[in-house]
């Protein structure tokens, strides 16, 4: 199988393409709080409506949902934890032709940027 990642049209992507166990491959903190759980996360699990964030010495559980803006139908992730709620714009989604590997790029309003991989 080819390991070539293909760009997915974000306006037409099914919401379930965003579900799964994601590993944080790269992050840019910018002006975000570097001590926040999200800025230190090593993985995110998005299943059904359950969200689990894993960071060193920390695990948080919450919920998630896909929201879309009305004008361009761009997908956002709404991540809700007991202590806070945040939104992230999905800026890029790439997958192999067979769907075995995926890469997801998120941009948070805090300035945090994350690249997630799903092997």
């Amino acid at each position: 199988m080819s390991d070539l990642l293909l760009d997915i049209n974000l306006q037409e992507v099914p919401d379930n393409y965003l579900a799964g166990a994601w590993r944080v491959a790269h992050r840019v903190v910018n002006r975000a709080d570097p001590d926040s759980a999200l800025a230190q996360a090593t993985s995110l699990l998005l299943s059904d409506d359950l969200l689990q964030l894993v960071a060193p010495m920390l695990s948080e559980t919450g919920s998630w949902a896909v929201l879309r803006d009305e004008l361009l139908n761009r997908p956002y992730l709404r991540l809700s934890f007991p202590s806070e709620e945040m939104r992230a714009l999905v800026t890029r989604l790439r997958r192999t032709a067979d769907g075995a590997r995926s890469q997801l790029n998120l941009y948070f309003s805090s300035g945090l940027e994350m690249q997630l991989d799903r092997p």
Side-chain angles (χ1 to χ4, degrees), residues 46-76:
L46 307 172
S47 63
D48 299 323
D49 65 345
L50 176 70
L51 162 65
Q52 183 173 14
L53 178 140
V54 177
M57 302 180 33
L58 174 70
S59 179
E60 281 198 63
T61 302
S63 62
W64 71 286
V66 176
L67 308 172
R68 294 189 179 268
D69 68 31
E70 292 182 22
L71 185 61
L72 299 175
N73 201 37
R74 292 177 301 192
Y76 288 82

Side-chain angles (χ1 to χ4, degrees), residues 36-38 51 53 58-63 79-86:
S36 72
L38 194 57
L51 162 65
L53 178 140
L58 174 70
S59 179
E60 281 198 63
T61 302
S63 62
L79 308 177
S80 300
F81 295 103
S83 60
E84 67 180 317
E85 186 170 307
M86 61 200 79

